[in-house]
Amino acid sequence: MAGTLAEKVWNDHLVRRGSNGEPDLIYIDLHLLHEVTSPQAFEGLRLAGRQVRRTDLTMATEDHNTPTLDIDLPIADLTSRTQIDTLRNNAKEFGVRIHSLGDADQGIVHQVGPQLGLTQPGMTVVCGDSHTSTHGAFGGLAFGIGTSEVEHVLATQTLPLQPFKTMAINVHGELPPGTTSKDIILAIIAKIGTGGGQGYVLEYRGEAIRKLSMEARMTICNMSIEAGARAGMIAPDDTTFEYLKGRPHAPEGADWDAAVEYWRTLKTDDDAVFDTEVDLNASDLEPFVTWGTNPGQGLPLSANVPVPEEIADENDRIAAERAIEYMGLTPGQPLRDIKVDTVFMGSCTNGRIEDLRTIAKVIKGHVKHPDVRVLVVPASARVRLQAEAEGLDQIFKDFGAEWRNAGCSMCLGMNPDQLAPGERSASTSNRNFEGRQGKGGRTHLVSPLVAAATAIRGTLSSVADLAENDPSFANLDIDAIDGSPLAPLDPNLIVQV
Ligand code: SF4
């Protein structure tokens, strides 16, 4: 019977089909852990006298609560230190592999899985973290789970799940210069809304998606959750295989050949039917930015802040009024006129080597706007090492940016990197909720290109805006930048302990 990619992966992991409305029981191939959502799950195991069933399929890293400065010192914040210590103790007690601060493979969980080659096509991947959807870029079914589900997976390596509906998102055409995969996903969320994907697994398809690098695909799948979807997927292809080949946990030799043969079957059949289909033309896109307090409140950079009185739907109008007030904006104000205090370049959405290379290409030889603080935070310690090996760190420092250690950093206010009340950021992360980057902080979600241009001009800007005053920006060859492969580094390298 014809099937979609999501249905194929689901069926390949079926332990038991549920009957009479019961959920199916699905086998989990990879379970990723971090310090925030795992403590109660381990405590549950401890109380029940259980062990971790498959330590070989389980991996932990430290990311949300980690500082990005002085990582060799004890963590100053008591809550953060307790969270990290608890994870380390649990990993030790239950025999779970952990990449701690100072380790070359410490970093944001959604970067560490792919960079190690742990995330592979056709896998089921879970983590107590909503942006687990990132891993779907490899053609697996990857989704965030709650704490009780984390405990269930630790104990059984399975998960009871109700089947999802499927949605095809067909992205036609070719991205214009100055736009990136971040603009694709912001435009999709603006189109279908933050609840538009609810109950669905999204499959991103079409010419524009096929041309994206793996890292750009990860950016898209990462933000599926911001459209309310359970997961996002992209069928694996040669780009996927090239990214994976040679990574520490990728199959080798005959196993590699057999794996690729299977992975090539992981695509939606021509006659398969999705529950819903959405179309978007990438050729029409401009750089997108958010103006409001959810990722669906986004517009092309050339637009103005919405005027609530002109919004017909009452709920949307009320939401816009509230968002505009929180964000301290004026209805009708051009988005390009919005001044920012901070530019944050990082997160599991856009903190990869490709993003850093892109930003460095734009800012090289320039200095930041004097009123703007710029934070550059690699998604993992290995990405940091790679960037330093390429001399990107020096470009950031010469620009006037702060070059930090790996972690979630300012993506969320759970570590020292935060916005002050009323402070405004252009951020390459994925959430712009009230207080997300610190109490009272105001967040505009942007692509790495917009972040770089904004850091130079001080107002939300595109690379085309830079080129108006300096023609050298018009000749940037951004399209050629690709995050794969990450050059091999000594796996035992210690960053700083
Ligand atoms: S970078 Fe942000 S979205 Fe990603 S895992 Fe960390 S806190 Fe979550």
Side-chain angles (χ1 to χ4, degrees):
M1 200 173 126
T4 64
L5 171 60
E7 288 159 351
K8 287 182 180 182
V9 177
W10 184 277
N11 290 333
D12 283 351
H13 291 80
L14 204 53
V15 177
R16 196 198 62 194
R17 177 84 69 193
S19 55
N20 302 322
E22 283 180 351
D24 290 352
L25 192 67
I26 298 296
Y27 195 77
I28 301 302
D29 294 319
L30 178 63
H31 188 190
L32 303 168
L33 301 166
H34 60 59
E35 68 272 22
V36 179
T37 48
S38 62
Q40 289 124 308
F42 279 113
E43 186 60 16
L45 283 193
R46 200 175 284 116
L47 289 173
R50 294 197 172 105
Q51 297 299 312
V52 175
R53 185 173 175 86
R54 292 294 300 267
T55 49
D56 57 326
L57 305 182
T58 310
M59 196 268 305
T61 181
E62 300 165 3
D63 51 11
H64 285 62
N65 291 98
T66 52
T68 57
L69 285 173
D70 300 325
I71 64 167
D72 51 336
L73 299 178
I75 296 174
D77 178 74
L78 181 61
T79 307
S80 293
R81 192 164 72 234
T82 305
Q83 294 274 69
I84 298 287
D85 286 347
T86 305
L87 179 66
R88 289 177 186 175
N89 292 337
N90 283 329
K92 192 169 176 195
E93 179 182 338
F94 288 91
V96 170
R97 166 184 180 176
I98 183 168
H99 292 291
S100 289
L101 211 53
D103 179 302
D105 283 309
Q106 174 269 336
I108 307 173
V109 67
H110 311 310
Q111 165 64 18
V112 173
Q115 81 181 19
L116 286 170
L118 286 165
T119 304
Q120 294 173 18
M123 278 188 167
T124 46
V125 181
V126 295
C127 175
D129 190 285
S130 50
H131 294 94
T132 308
S133 55
T134 312
H135 306 257
F138 291 80
L141 202 46
F143 45 89
I145 55 177
T147 298
S148 58
E149 293 174 306
V150 171
E151 183 183 340
H152 194 284
V153 177
L154 285 173
T156 67
Q157 205 59 33
T158 65
L159 202 54
L161 286 171
Q162 293 289 356
F164 308 128
K165 292 183 286 182
T166 56
M167 182 187 294
I169 302 209
N170 307 307
V171 188
H172 311 285
E174 200 167 328
L175 272 174
T179 55
T180 69
S181 65
K182 182 69 162 279
D183 303 302
I184 292 180
I185 190 63
L186 285 174
I188 289 169
I189 299 167
K191 180 169 178 150
I192 69 174
T194 50
Q198 215 158 16
Y200 290 93
V201 171
L202 314 181
E203 184 184 334
Y204 303 98
R205 298 150 57 84
E207 185 191 352
I209 300 293
R210 292 262 71 90
K211 285 190 176 159
L212 296 176
S213 70
M214 273 319 295
E215 300 206 346
R217 293 178 188 185
M218 281 189 253
T219 300
I220 293 202
C221 288
N222 173 274
M223 290 193 71
S224 304
I225 186 73
E226 306 308 335
R230 196 69 205 271
M233 313 177 82
I234 295 173
D237 58 13
D238 287 339
T239 303
T240 322
F241 311 147
E242 191 185 319
Y243 178 95
L244 276 171
K245 197 165 175 57
R247 295 200 177 250
H249 290 271
E252 292 176 335
D255 290 342
W256 171 262
D257 296 338
V260 172
E261 196 180 328
Y262 166 60
W263 294 342
R264 286 196 191 282
T265 68
L266 295 171
K267 54 186 174 193
T268 293
D269 293 322
D270 291 343
D271 48 350
V273 179
F274 289 91
D275 293 303
T276 308
E277 297 214 25
V278 171
D279 291 276
L280 187 87
N281 195 340
S283 320
D284 297 338
L285 287 181
E286 293 175 43
F288 244 72
V289 300
T290 60
W291 53 268
T293 51
N294 72 55
Q297 290 176 321
L299 282 169
L301 182 57
S302 57
N304 299 335
V305 174
V307 178
E309 292 74 38
E310 295 172 0
I311 299 174
D313 181 88
E314 192 186 346
N315 289 334
D316 289 348
R317 188 167 60 247
I318 292 169
E321 277 167 358
R322 182 180 164 89
I324 289 169
E325 188 185 345
Y326 178 83
M327 294 293 288
L329 300 172
T330 306
Q333 170 184 15
L335 292 171
R336 272 202 172 86
D337 287 354
I338 297 174
K339 284 188 186 161
V340 305
D341 307 295
T342 294
V343 176
F344 171 60
M345 302 164 168
S347 86
C348 60
T349 314
N350 282 124
R352 300 190 177 80
I353 191 70
E354 176 176 311
D355 303 311
L356 301 187
R357 287 172 183 159
T358 301
I359 292 164
K361 189 134 201 170
V362 178
I363 67 171
K364 188 175 181 181
H366 299 271
V367 287
K368 71 175 183 67
H369 189 281
D371 298 338
V372 176
R373 166 172 68 142
V374 182
L375 248 68
V376 187
V377 187
S380 72
R382 191 169 290 269
V383 169
R384 178 182 156 103
L385 289 167
Q386 174 85 29
E388 290 179 353
E390 296 177 14
L392 304 186
D393 59 321
Q394 200 54 50
I395 295 172
F396 298 133
K397 289 177 203 163
D398 292 346
F399 180 67
E402 298 174 41
W403 174 240
R404 297 295 190 88
N405 285 286
C408 295
S409 184
M410 199 181 268
C411 177
L412 88 173
M414 225 181 235
N415 58 67
D417 304 341
Q418 298 192 24
L419 294 180
E423 208 180 336
R424 183 185 302 285
S425 78
S427 175
T428 64
S429 55
N430 50 40
R431 282 195 171 154
N432 53 343
F433 304 153
E434 292 184 19
R436 169 74 176 179
Q437 294 187 294
K439 195 160 185 273
R442 295 160 168 163
T443 305
H444 297 273
L445 300 178
V446 300
S447 72
L449 284 177
V450 170
T454 301
I456 294 172
R457 283 169 49 100
T459 53
L460 293 179
S461 304
S462 66
V463 174
D465 295 328
L466 296 174
E468 271 180 22
N469 295 322
D470 182 346
S472 69
F473 285 110
N475 301 322
L476 291 175
D477 187 10
I478 300 295
D479 287 349
I481 297 173
D482 188 342
S484 53
L486 200 62
L489 292 166
D490 178 354
N492 300 314
L493 203 52
I494 300 295
V495 183
Q496 191 181 354
V497 284

